[in-house]
Amino acid sequence: MPELPEVETIRRQLVPELKSRSIKKVDVRLPKMVRGRLAAYKKNISGSKIINVGRRGKLLVISMANNYSFLIHLKMTGQIIHRRGQKTKAGGHPIKDGAVNLPNKYTHIIWYLSGGGVLYFNDIRQFGFTKLIKTEELENFYNDLKLGPEPLKKQFTMDFFKSLLRRRGGMKVKQLLLDQTAIAGIGNIYAAEACFDARIMPTRRAGSLSSPEALKLYRAIKKILIKAIVAQGTSSQNYVDAHGNPGGYFPKLKVYSRGGQACFRCHSKIKSIKLGGRTTTFCPQCQK
Ligand SMILES: [Zn+2]
């Protein structure tokens, strides 16, 4: 699933392509991917000018001059592709040949833009969605979802993190990091990487972390996410050449997807377990 760094990478790629463009038409090929009323969705998007491309957690938030916004959530296997002429920008879940012939069988929503650009929403498993919402109601929507703070914004302070560890002390550390109501945007990749960086076992109870450990984990979360954004994410893909190379953070992964391989720090074998149904990798030697 694309996490904060992957969605942020898509957002940054889309800003110059979408900002100040008008949406000429939206083609909804699979209505179930639109949450809320389909007619209102089409009516309020068609002919509207895009004024901002934002992000909240793993949600892309595209705001329009008519005071409406539409959200895009890529969920497990969603992919966003923008194409104008020969120029293609893509992000999200890697889909083999997903950007080769567009639209293709995975393309469920298409936004046609002024200036010749086209935005495609591909999704293999169709868990992703888009939703229209009044821009002034966005904050209420996030509150209804009980979305936690953005980990790279000022609101995510060490005091907040300490109180979170206390309040949810019974939860396992990794599961707490994955919980979008605790902190927004972290998923399986960066939760595992942050625990490794802080040398904390992902199965520890949140309440058992000492003050120095909590500080290490807090710093690790920020550091890992920033590095991943700079590297343009792990699963984010650039399909310019249609070969689908992994995002730049992939070679920097220390534990995620490295089960059975040697730890870069101590050379022990990285262990892979299931935690809450999700594959969880860690070094049994240098994570405590
Ligand atoms: Zn190790």
Side-chain angles (χ1 to χ4, degrees):
M1 179 190 279
E3 304 178 27
L4 187 157
E6 287 75 38
V7 179
E8 179 61 20
T9 299
I10 301 170
R11 188 194 74 76
R12 292 180 182 191
Q13 290 184 341
L14 290 181
V15 167
E17 305 295 345
L18 266 52
K19 217 169 165 178
S20 302
R21 300 283 185 192
S22 292
I23 301 170
K24 295 199 294 188
K25 196 182 100 178
V26 55
D27 179 8
V28 177
R29 305 173 134 219
L30 189 66
K32 75 166 184 180
M33 291 190 60
V34 175
R35 292 209 181 150
R37 286 174 49 226
L38 183 60
Y41 183 88
K42 287 183 180 171
K43 179 173 164 276
N44 287 293
I45 286 181
S46 303
S48 300
K49 187 177 170 185
I50 295 170
I51 55 169
N52 193 32
V53 183
R55 180 189 58 74
R56 181 74 171 90
K58 301 173 188 172
L59 282 166
L60 259 185
V61 186
I62 300 173
S63 299
M64 301 173 289
N66 64 356
N67 298 324
Y68 277 92
S69 296
F70 62 98
L71 312 171
I72 298 176
H73 199 311
L74 299 173
K75 290 282 181 175
M76 300 299 287
T77 57
Q79 179 187 48
I80 284 286
I81 299 166
H82 180 272
R83 177 167 286 173
R84 188 155 48 87
Q86 297 296 310
K87 198 173 155 200
T88 301
K89 291 179 175 179
H93 184 78
I95 299 177
K96 193 180 180 296
D97 295 339
V100 175
N101 293 307
L102 287 167
N104 56 48
K105 64 177 174 175
Y106 303 120
T107 308
H108 306 307
I109 310 209
I110 310 171
W111 297 266
Y112 293 94
L113 307 165
S114 62
V118 185
L119 189 66
Y120 300 91
F121 187 176
N122 290 355
D123 196 346
I124 297 176
R125 293 175 69 184
Q126 307 170 3
F127 293 136
F129 68 86
T130 174
K131 177 182 172 63
L132 181 80
I133 191 161
K134 277 195 176 140
T135 302
E136 63 180 21
E137 286 169 9
L138 280 171
E139 281 305 319
N140 287 338
F141 179 75
Y142 304 145
N143 288 339
D144 287 347
L145 292 176
K146 297 187 168 62
L147 269 185
E150 288 290 319
L152 297 179
K153 290 257 167 86
K154 270 188 280 183
Q155 54 189 155
F156 182 63
T157 61
M158 183 60 205
D159 280 346
F160 169 87
F161 189 58
K162 270 188 178 167
S163 88
L164 182 69
L165 293 172
R166 246 193 337 263
R167 279 184 281 123
R168 312 248 191 127
M171 276 180 95
K172 291 179 174 157
V173 169
K174 188 192 163 213
Q175 285 174 307
L176 180 62
L177 297 182
L178 292 182
D179 187 337
Q180 300 302 295
T181 69
I183 308 167
I186 301 174
N188 218 25
I189 302 173
Y190 302 107
E193 294 296 312
C195 286
F196 177 82
D197 191 81
R199 300 181 183 242
I200 289 166
M201 200 67 102
T203 50
R204 283 268 299 277
R205 301 281 167 191
S208 76
L209 265 55
S210 67
S211 257
E213 284 176 325
L215 182 61
K216 268 196 217 163
L217 186 57
Y218 172 78
R219 288 182 173 154
I221 290 167
K222 287 180 175 267
K223 183 178 88 179
I224 299 282
L225 291 175
I226 290 169
K227 280 188 174 180
I229 291 171
V230 169
Q232 302 199 314
T234 298
S235 56
S236 158
Q237 310 241 340
N238 185 336
Y239 282 97
V240 171
D241 57 3
H243 292 309
N245 301 308
Y249 200 75
F250 190 79
K252 299 184 201 295
L253 293 173
K254 302 288 197 295
V255 280
Y256 181 82
S257 81
R258 295 197 67 246
Q261 299 179 42
C263 171
F264 291 128
R265 225 158 29 198
C266 74
H267 307 294
S268 300
K269 208 185 239 189
I270 300 292
K271 209 172 165 188
S272 180
I273 59 164
K274 287 275 183 199
L275 183 60
R278 309 289 303 274
T279 299
T280 300
T281 45
F282 57 89
C283 174
Q285 191 60 37
C286 58
Q287 285 176 258
K288 303 287 179 197

